[in-house]
Amino acid sequence: MVKKSLSIVMAATMASALALAGCGSSSDSKPDTSTPDGSASSSSGEKVTIKMMHLWPSGSSKQQNMIVNDIINEYQTANPNVTIKQEILENEQYKNKLKVLSASNDLPDVGMTWAAGFLEPYVKGQLFAPLDDTLNDGLKDSFVSGTTDAYAIDGKTYALPLELNITPIYYNKAIFSKYSLEVPQTYEQFKQAVTTLQNNGVAPIALGNKDRWTGSLWYMYLADRLGGQDTLRNAVARTGSFEDPSLVQAAQEVQDLVKAKAFNKGFNGLSNDEGKSEFMNGKAAMYMMGTWELPNFTTNETIPQEFRDNVGFFKFPTIEGGKGNIDSWVGGPGVGLFVAENSKVKDEAKKFVKFFVQKWGEQSVTKAGVIPATKVDTSKVNLPQMYIDILNELGNASNITLFADVQMSPSVAQVHLNMIQALFGDEVSPADFAKNHEKALAEQAGK
């Protein structure tokens, strides 16, 4: 059974584990040591090439890309007979390439996947290898409790997660100060801030909705704050309906934001990176995105220090009369590593994945400011204040709801994403937006 969401129990466990547990505090969390530096070494002297495909280009994901290369270099040094060949694509290109390669059963030996509904068809198609042997080989206890569950189907684990994410609204403190704006606590205050910014010729919100999942984040929060944490989740799980009044109202609120010119010009035709640049260049006051963006606001030295110092974040505000609360987040485990079932170097690929996960946990905090899926002793590292504040919010989370398109099966996710873009483009009514979702979900359930 695929887990569709993360509970309050998991949220609390994440934070306590991140704060108190150390990656190297037990022998179970350390790599197999057959070389002086503790690196895993290949048992065979045969020349091996492992093809790895990932979605962290050096331009948009500089810190993550740097760590990937460091880990690969370390592995290749410890295993001179092994060559790791990378293919790097940005998010949407990556997803499309993965579909193409899966159709011909020609996946890379190691790649990245998302959890739950995204993972399911690859598992059903026997394209991903079970990784329980790797997980149970001294690795399981190094993960924050519950993070691997979203990658498990029918009792088997098919990917090992690298990240944990929640989704704040980042804001430019200098812009807010210039127009005497306070961090909004209520949705009415948020809309007033949008109006003030728009009246002063500043784009209130940076958005690149060509990728569609970016707009879904806004819809999910509105659905959560209006209907509570279970309404959208139940609609997807078929214990509720997508035509619930709060889900229809959330769609209407999206269109009201569009009509208020809350987003930068041309947002529906811009990629996420293009939309993000509006915020990074100081042209937009706010930007909603997962905490994988933290490096750009903390540790990425190619971003001007003045800008990084001016970035803050806030939680999506509460809506008067709504059932949601301000400590409920959209988020969940981020990308995980898979090994292709038909890989000709499967055993070596699994060794590399184990090594990568362990090294990623150690380095992602100190070098990138990314929240990993493995436990970290935060008392032993010097962390940016924003990172600490995010960890505290993670600990106070009342709920973390998995990204909608990840919860859904691929076919329903495509309907959702297409409807999101149509909704933001004022090409579908809120009622029809909900009806089309309900139809796709009902058809999927009947198969």
Side-chain angles (χ1 to χ4, degrees), residues 10 29 32 34 36 58 68 83 96 131 195 318 344 367:
M10 179 178 169
S29 65
D32 296 331
S34 55
S58 59
V68 171
T83 300
N96 292 331
L131 296 179
T195 300
T318 55
K344 294 178 182 178
K367 292 184 179 179

Side-chain angles (χ1 to χ4, degrees), residues 193-248:
V194 166
T195 300
T196 298
L197 291 163
Q198 178 60 36
N199 288 344
N200 283 279
V202 177
I205 302 165
L207 175 66
N209 200 40
K210 182 179 180 181
D211 295 340
R212 304 170 298 170
W213 58 268
T214 47
S216 177
L217 300 174
W218 286 92
Y219 174 75
M220 285 191 71
Y221 269 122
L222 288 163
D224 177 277
R225 297 302 190 258
L226 286 163
Q229 66 189 46
D230 293 325
T231 306
L232 179 61
R233 183 182 299 164
N234 290 343
V236 175
R238 306 316 301 139
T239 56
S241 171
F242 224 98
E243 293 183 285
D244 183 284
S246 63
L247 298 186
V248 178

Side-chain angles (χ1 to χ4, degrees), residues 84-391:
I84 313 293
K85 185 178 179 181
Q86 298 181 68
E87 182 175 4
I88 310 170
L89 303 164
E90 63 86 21
N91 192 294
E92 292 306 303
Q93 289 177 330
Y94 180 91
K95 289 177 180 177
N96 292 331
K97 183 80 180 271
L98 201 64
K99 290 178 187 175
V100 171
L101 294 176
S102 67
S104 57
N105 200 7
D106 190 29
L107 291 174
D109 302 301
V110 175
M112 291 182 173
T113 181
W114 289 264
F118 185 95
L119 178 77
E120 193 167 7
Y122 294 95
V123 172
K124 287 185 176 179
Q126 299 182 330
L127 296 169
F128 292 174
L131 296 179
D132 298 277
D133 53 346
T134 305
L135 185 62
N136 293 325
D137 184 22
L139 193 59
K140 189 172 185 178
D141 290 343
S142 65
F143 281 100
V144 174
S145 179
T147 52
T148 60
D149 293 350
Y151 298 84
I153 294 177
D154 296 331
K156 293 182 179 180
T157 306
Y158 290 92
L160 300 181
L162 296 175
E163 305 171 318
L164 288 176
N165 295 295
I166 52 178
T167 309
I169 299 176
Y170 304 101
Y171 73 102
N172 188 311
K173 296 176 186 177
I175 294 177
F176 267 51
S177 177
K178 182 177 180 178
Y179 298 106
S180 302
L181 296 173
E182 300 289 335
V183 170
Q185 298 297 311
T186 68
Y187 192 59
E188 280 304 311
Q189 291 171 352
F190 175 78
K191 289 193 292 185
Q192 289 169 11
V194 166
T195 300
T196 298
L197 291 163
Q198 178 60 36
N199 288 344
N200 283 279
V202 177
I205 302 165
L207 175 66
N209 200 40
K210 182 179 180 181
D211 295 340
R212 304 170 298 170
W213 58 268
T214 47
S216 177
L217 300 174
W218 286 92
Y219 174 75
M220 285 191 71
Y221 269 122
L222 288 163
D224 177 277
R225 297 302 190 258
L226 286 163
Q229 66 189 46
D230 293 325
T231 306
L232 179 61
R233 183 182 299 164
N234 290 343
V236 175
R238 306 316 301 139
T239 56
S241 171
F242 224 98
E243 293 183 285
D244 183 284
S246 63
L247 298 186
V248 178
Q249 180 59 31
Q252 182 61 61
E253 293 292 344
V254 165
Q255 291 195 331
D256 288 348
L257 284 176
V258 173
K259 289 172 185 174
K261 297 182 179 179
F263 305 104
N264 50 280
K265 291 181 180 179
F267 64 88
N268 234 14
L270 300 178
S271 69
N272 176 47
D273 282 346
E274 290 170 325
K276 178 173 66 176
S277 69
E278 296 291 298
F279 181 69
M280 303 291 284
N281 294 333
K283 296 179 181 177
M286 294 175 278
Y287 174 58
M288 180 194 287
M289 193 49 57
T291 44
W292 55 78
E293 284 294 336
L294 274 176
N296 284 327
F297 310 136
T298 55
T299 60
N300 187 347
E301 293 183 358
T302 65
I303 308 298
Q305 185 68 50
E306 183 181 1
F307 174 80
R308 286 183 279 155
D309 290 343
N310 271 320
V311 177
F313 76 92
F314 61 89
K315 296 177 276 191
F316 198 97
T318 55
I319 298 178
E320 185 178 358
K323 298 177 182 178
N325 74 78
I326 202 163
D327 290 317
S328 179
W329 293 87
V330 172
V335 292
L337 292 180
F338 71 79
V339 172
E341 175 63 33
N342 74 334
S343 169
K344 294 178 182 178
V345 291
K346 190 188 298 183
D347 289 343
E348 190 68 53
K350 286 184 177 182
K351 291 177 187 176
F352 172 64
V353 163
K354 179 182 179 182
F355 181 85
F356 191 102
V357 167
Q358 291 169 313
K359 293 297 180 179
W360 176 265
E362 294 169 12
Q363 297 184 34
S364 62
V365 176
T366 55
K367 292 184 179 179
V370 171
I371 302 173
T374 46
K375 300 171 187 175
V376 176
D377 186 350
T378 56
S379 67
K380 294 181 179 179
V381 288
N382 185 22
L383 299 171
Q385 187 59 47
M386 186 184 292
Y387 190 100
I388 294 170
D389 293 342
I390 289 285
L391 286 180

